Amino acid sequence: MLGDLGTAGLAVGLSCATLTALLWLRVALFGAAVRTARRGTAATLVAAALACALLETALLRHDFSVRFVAENGGRDVPLYYTLTSLWSALDGSLLLWLLVLGGYAALLARRAYPPRLHAYAMVVVSVVMMFFFALSTFAANPFRAVSPVPADGPGPNPLLQQHPAMGVHPPLLYAGYLGLVVPFAFALAAPLAGRDGVRWVRLARPWALVAWAALTGGIGMGAWWSYAVLGWGGYWAWDPVENASLLPWLTATAFLHTTLVRGRVAWHGALACASFLLVLLGTFLTRSGAVTSVHAFTDSPLGPMLLGFVLLAVAVSAVLTGRRAPEPARAGRPRALSRATLVLVHGVLLVTIAAVVLIGTILPLLTAPLTGTRSSVGPAYYQRTAVPLAVVVLLVMGVTPALRVRDRSAALRRLVVPAAAGLGTVALVGLLSRPGPAALTAFGAAGFVLTGLAGDLAHRLRRPGPHRRPARLAGLVAHAGLALVAVGVAGSSAYGRDAERPLRVGETLRVGDVAVRLVGVDRTGGSGSMAVRARLALTASGRPARTMTPALRYQAARDAAVTVPAIRTGPLRDTYVTLLAVAEDSGTATVRLAVNPLVGLIWAGGALTAASGLLAAAVTARPRTRTAGRTDRPRPAPVAVGPGAAT
């Protein structure tokens, strides 16, 4: 029954999305009233919500006649992970995708924008909705019946039942991905809307900021989840699916930067389109089985449909953004050494990093049909190409705030103290340790940026007026967050140490001043699962011993074993212990001990950066009051976030 209702709901959603696209096209072409089109958008959202609710009901009721529940549900799965099972596999995740996309469409439909620009943008969003409803209805319908009906299901992948981030990371990432459809829609609508499309960048910017903040938070949450669950002790492996989330973040950041400079409409449109096109490409990579990854879904019939839609979207974007859209009045050409020039330099650098990462991500897919074997691009490629460019971005980010002053000599004077701090950091760190050239440069660049931000903040607080507004401070917060992330990445990479070996009860494994002693091994069993835990006594710097209990868990239903690391978090470093194997007699356990310095700065910096985007979006989207009779009031400068965005 639930399966039939769910299939019907998807069919209704597809019909509503198709009708809604036609209604908005009617509004754009003939100036029809928008009320009916808005109702169609709301009906499409209701259909997506109904489909999600029906699948959640089937999961909660353990209705194993529904294929998705039979493959991903289970009677012994805790309630929280039963609810999050909705997006634990391909078909159900598409329903969450539709729900988030429908939410953005409904919000956009209710806004009061220039009529033709608004209508054409809604046509684009509705067409995207129509495609994903078709995908879910015909190629990935989670409501198909299964026969015979099993008595129980295997539950979600065991890796997805080890951490509460399962309930936050995918929705947050989807909110970031799908929020980029709005700037994409505005960029395609602007050339068609005539004079209505002149100010599309200003209207798209708050949406881009919300999407950018959500995507930043999603990437950070995913790195933390990987660190806490997978047991390898890292947070970023340049995995193709990780890269798929980084690519639109880079181009969206570049878009937000270039919008700070007037008269770059071609850049704006290209970057807005590229950001969502990279989302579609990432969707193809993760949902087609084209790449092998712990984060990707398995092989599916969606690949050809997704690839076809990506190619169609690229062609439409090229045709429409290639048309000359109406442009606002251009400002004068920026000076060679100015904040506007450096903002554009940031955009170029970010796009270059995106190109480097894109090449490394798709190269194996392109070489496989030609050579017959699938090549691989390892972390070394990215460390030699993308990482140096990221350090350059960090350095330029520290210079940009000083150039807010028009007097060049004054700007150079403002750089003296940050430059001295950066060089001092390099000298001090280099004398005390040998972190390597890349990490040393990152430390110096972060010192340069943070010192400059502190000086700029003090300068702003001393001056009354708009310099102290929250909008002006959002860029400073984003800069500080990214600098902290750089310090955390450099510190954990340069100073991280690990060791592993089999331990008998009573033996000790040591890394520096940290040691773990195997006290014992415990085995527990349940219905269809088994867990093995090692009891370890942790001592560090002579402090009293603490107990750590890393584990191995085996799930018979999926014939899968997962590691459950034990992590002791401190202010300056994490102690990370993983149980790799246990002898049959439980007298020997293979243990890996890692010490990860400064890794906490990555999570703190990511949270600051995401918060800056939300702050900027809230201030930018806030309605501005106008004085009666005044139409010539100057437009406030756009709010900047991300590298090089402090104003």
Side-chain angles (χ1 to χ4, degrees):
M1 180 64 177
L2 288 174
D4 294 336
L5 289 175
T7 300
L10 291 176
V12 170
L14 176 59
S15 301
C16 288
T18 305
L19 179 61
T20 300
L22 295 174
L23 289 172
W24 282 110
L25 184 61
R26 178 169 169 261
V27 174
L29 295 176
F30 306 110
V34 301
R35 179 177 297 179
T36 304
R38 284 175 173 165
R39 288 176 177 172
T41 304
T44 307
L45 172 61
V46 169
L50 177 63
C52 288
L54 288 171
L55 191 56
E56 284 285 19
T57 302
L59 286 165
L60 292 170
R61 288 184 176 181
H62 306 302
D63 185 352
F64 297 110
S65 65
V66 176
R67 180 179 60 84
F68 185 86
V69 181
E71 294 175 354
N72 302 281
R75 299 186 185 278
D76 295 329
V77 179
L79 176 62
Y80 178 77
Y81 294 108
T82 296
L83 292 171
T84 60
S85 296
L86 177 71
W87 50 85
S88 66
L90 171 66
D91 300 353
S93 71
L94 277 177
L95 296 189
L96 176 64
W97 188 276
L98 283 169
L99 181 63
V100 176
L101 183 57
Y104 276 115
L107 289 174
L108 181 61
R110 302 302 302 176
R111 302 291 290 180
Y113 291 139
R116 295 191 67 205
L117 176 69
H118 189 201
Y120 277 120
M122 285 304 306
V123 170
V124 175
V125 175
S126 300
V127 168
V128 175
M129 283 283 294
M130 181 175 65
F131 169 74
F132 281 104
F133 260 114
L135 204 64
S136 188
T137 302
F138 299 117
N141 185 349
F143 295 103
R144 291 195 179 101
V146 62
S147 181
V149 178
D152 200 355
N157 186 314
L159 282 173
L160 305 181
Q161 301 182 54
Q162 302 300 320
H163 201 280
M166 177 60 185
V168 181
H169 167 62
L172 196 59
L173 203 62
Y174 287 8
Y177 280 153
L178 295 168
L180 294 173
V181 73
V182 179
F184 171 74
F186 276 128
L188 295 187
L192 302 173
R195 300 306 302 177
D196 277 2
V198 170
R199 299 295 180 186
W200 75 269
V201 173
R202 180 175 61 84
L203 302 177
R205 187 176 176 80
W207 298 91
L209 283 166
V210 170
W212 182 87
L215 190 53
T216 302
I219 292 172
M221 178 69 73
W224 178 54
W225 187 9
S226 175
Y227 177 77
V229 167
L230 294 183
W232 63 293
Y235 43 80
W236 192 267
W238 297 104
D239 180 277
V241 179
E242 294 173 345
N243 294 348
S245 65
L246 178 62
L247 286 167
W249 185 89
L250 290 168
T251 52
T253 308
F255 170 76
L256 292 172
H257 279 79
T258 58
T259 56
L260 299 174
V261 181
R262 296 184 183 181
R264 296 293 186 272
V265 175
W267 266 82
H268 303 160
L271 289 171
C273 290
S275 298
F276 189 66
L277 291 175
L278 288 171
V279 169
L280 295 177
L281 177 63
T283 307
F284 166 73
L285 292 175
T286 56
R287 287 172 165 78
S288 66
V291 298
T292 302
S293 166
V294 69
H295 308 286
F297 297 104
T298 55
D299 292 343
S300 75
L302 274 63
M305 295 177 67
L306 283 167
L307 183 59
F309 190 68
V310 170
L311 296 176
L312 176 63
V314 169
V316 172
S317 300
V319 170
L320 290 181
T321 58
R323 296 181 57 177
R324 186 171 181 83
E327 299 186 9
R330 290 177 176 267
R333 187 173 183 177
R335 295 172 295 160
L337 184 61
S338 66
R339 174 178 163 275
T341 300
L342 284 188
V343 165
L344 293 177
V345 169
H346 274 291
V348 172
L349 286 171
L350 290 167
V351 171
T352 304
I353 296 173
V356 167
V357 174
L358 180 62
I359 291 171
T361 303
I362 67 173
L363 186 62
L365 302 180
L366 300 178
T367 57
L370 299 176
T371 63
T373 59
R374 176 169 291 186
S375 60
S376 61
V377 177
Y381 163 78
Y382 300 102
Q383 291 167 2
R384 293 172 183 171
T385 54
V387 171
L389 288 170
V391 173
V392 175
V393 169
L394 198 63
L395 288 169
V396 178
M397 187 171 71
V399 175
T400 306
L403 296 182
R404 182 174 54 85
V405 181
R406 290 186 176 273
D407 186 350
R408 292 187 181 181
S409 60
L412 293 175
R413 286 196 300 271
R414 293 184 64 181
L415 290 174
V416 171
V417 174
L423 292 174
T425 301
V426 170
L428 182 62
V429 173
L431 288 173
L432 296 178
S433 62
R434 305 291 182 187
L440 197 59
T441 305
F443 284 134
F448 173 62
V449 171
L450 290 172
T451 306
L453 290 177
D456 194 39
L457 178 61
H459 178 73
R460 290 173 185 272
L461 294 178
R462 286 195 302 266
R463 296 178 60 191
H467 300 281
R468 300 176 64 174
R469 291 175 183 169
R472 301 282 186 172
L473 300 179
L476 298 181
V477 175
H479 278 196
L482 291 171
L484 290 177
V485 170
V487 173
V489 171
S492 59
S493 301
Y495 300 120
R497 298 290 182 268
D498 66 88
E500 67 176 69
R501 68 181 179 89
L503 298 177
R504 292 187 178 275
V505 175
E507 291 184 339
T508 298
L509 176 63
R510 184 177 298 276
V511 173
D513 64 340
V514 179
V516 290
R517 177 173 54 86
L518 182 62
V519 176
V521 176
D522 302 319
R523 295 178 182 268
T524 58
S527 57
S529 64
M530 182 181 68
V532 182
R533 290 180 175 83
R535 285 179 285 114
L536 298 158
L538 168 70
T539 56
S541 303
R543 284 175 290 182
R546 298 181 178 181
T547 301
M548 301 187 75
T549 56
L552 280 171
R553 291 179 181 171
Y554 175 76
Q555 188 182 57
R558 289 191 176 271
D559 191 23
V562 297
T563 60
V564 183
I567 306 172
R568 180 74 64 178
T569 300
L572 295 178
R573 66 183 182 184
D574 284 3
T575 303
Y576 194 104
V577 185
T578 310
L579 179 62
L580 302 177
V582 176
E584 290 186 5
D585 61 359
S586 299
T588 302
T590 302
V591 175
R592 178 180 180 272
L593 170 63
V595 178
N596 301 325
L598 303 179
V599 72
L601 293 179
I602 299 175
W603 324 132
L608 274 179
T609 305
S612 74
L614 292 177
L615 173 63
V619 176
T620 303
R622 186 173 56 194
R624 297 189 300 274
T625 58
R626 294 183 178 272
T627 304
R630 290 284 303 277
T631 59
D632 58 344
R633 298 186 67 186
R635 181 169 59 92
V639 178
V641 296
T647 58

